[in-house]
Amino acid sequence: MPDRMASSFSASNSSEIFARRLAASGDERLRQALVAAVAHLHTLVRELKPTSLEWRSVISFLTEVGHACDERRQEWVLLSDLLGASALVEEVNGRRPKLATPNTVHGPFFRADAPVLPLGSDISLDGVGERLAVTGRVQDLDGEAIAGAEIITWQANSAGLYENQQPDLQPEFNLRGTFRTDDEGRFHYLTVRPSGYSVPDDGPVGGLLRKAGLPLRRPAHLHFMIRAAGFETIVTHLYDGSDPHLHQDAIFGVKPELVCHFERAAEKPSWRLDFTFVLARSKQGAQW
C-alpha cells in the first residue's frame, strides 16, 4: 500500500508535490516553466510568510491590473517593464555581436498599425513642440546598406504623453509612422523633440511601485522597431543625452550605445538627430 503521508502537502515539500501532479504527457516546456515558477513562488511564500489577508491583497492587485487593460492600455506590460522582467528577457534572448545596435523593450505604448508613410513625412500631426529632423541609416555589420528595411517609430510628445494616452486630445497616430529605407539604406522624417515623463501611476502598477519607492521617471527618447529580410529584428530606443534622468530609467532601457546628441540647428527645424542602426544577420535565414 502506498504511504499516503509521504505525499501529504506541507511547507517543506509543497513545490515537489505540485510538480508530481503534472502529467508526464503534458507540454514539456510548459511543464518546466510551471515547475520552476511554482518553486520560486513557494520559496517566496515561505520566506515572507504572508498572512491570508496579505495574500488576498496580492490577488486583488493582480485583478486590478487585469481590469486596467484595454485596447489602448496594457497594464501587464507596464508591470513587466517596471519590474525589469521585460529588460531581462531581452538581455537573455537579444545578445548580438558587439557592433550591432542593442535591443530594448517595446514598452506599453507600441502600436503595430502605425501608418506607412513616404520618406520625409512629418509624423507630428498637431505640430505642437520644437521641430526635430530625424535622419539615419540602416546597415549590416560590414557597413553595407540595407535597402528596403522597415522602420516603425513612435514617441511621446513635448509634454511626455503618447497618442494612445490622450485619444481625445491628440490626433490618431500622432507621432507614429512606418518608413522604408532607400537604396542607400537611409531614411529621414520630421517630428518634434520628445520630453521625458513619469510612467503612468494612475493605475495599480504605478501606484504600488511608487509606494514602494521605485523611481518612475523615463528620460526623453524615440522608439524604433527595425526589420529586414535576413536580419534579426530589433526594437530599441534613442535617448536624449541631455536628459538628467538617464541614470534612473524606470524600465532599465538606457545603454551607452543608445544615448544620442540632439543637435541644435540654426534654421528650421530647430533640432536634428542622426543615427546609424546596425543589424546582425538572422540565424534563421531570411525569415522576418
Side-chain angles (χ1 to χ4, degrees), residues 19 43 57 224:
T43 297
S57 71
F224 294 89

Side-chain angles (χ1 to χ4, degrees), residues 75-232:
E75 197 80 354
W76 284 111
V77 172
L78 181 62
L79 179 61
S80 176
D81 289 350
L82 294 179
L83 293 181
S86 300
L88 183 57
V89 168
E90 294 301 333
E91 285 295 315
V92 300
N93 287 284
R95 294 173 182 169
R96 290 183 170 83
K98 185 177 181 180
L99 296 179
T101 301
N103 222 40
T104 57
V105 302
H106 286 76
F109 302 114
F110 171 71
R111 291 182 61 175
D113 57 348
V116 177
L117 302 170
L119 293 176
S121 294
D122 190 343
I123 65 172
S124 176
L125 304 182
D126 58 10
V128 178
E130 293 186 283
R131 310 300 292 158
L132 170 67
V134 178
T135 59
R137 188 172 190 259
V138 180
Q139 64 182 44
D140 65 15
L141 288 166
D142 296 320
E144 295 296 322
I146 302 177
E150 181 184 64
I151 300 172
I152 303 175
T153 186
W154 68 103
Q155 66 172 85
N157 64 10
S158 57
L161 293 164
Y162 291 82
E163 158 263 354
N164 49 355
Q165 287 179 285
Q166 295 184 306
D168 298 327
L169 298 177
Q170 293 190 46
E172 181 82 352
F173 299 118
N174 192 37
L175 301 174
R176 298 177 186 273
T178 301
F179 299 95
R180 293 274 183 183
T181 57
D182 64 18
D183 291 343
E184 296 181 344
R186 298 191 178 279
F187 66 93
H188 62 284
Y189 64 91
L190 295 172
T191 182
V192 296
R193 187 170 181 175
S195 175
Y197 55 87
S198 293
V199 299
D201 62 357
D202 57 337
V205 172
L208 176 76
L209 295 181
R210 183 177 294 282
K211 184 177 180 181
L214 182 74
L216 297 180
R217 190 74 186 174
R218 295 224 63 206
H221 58 274
L222 308 173
H223 291 271
F224 294 89
M225 175 187 285
I226 303 177
R227 49 192 182 185
F231 293 87
E232 293 184 1

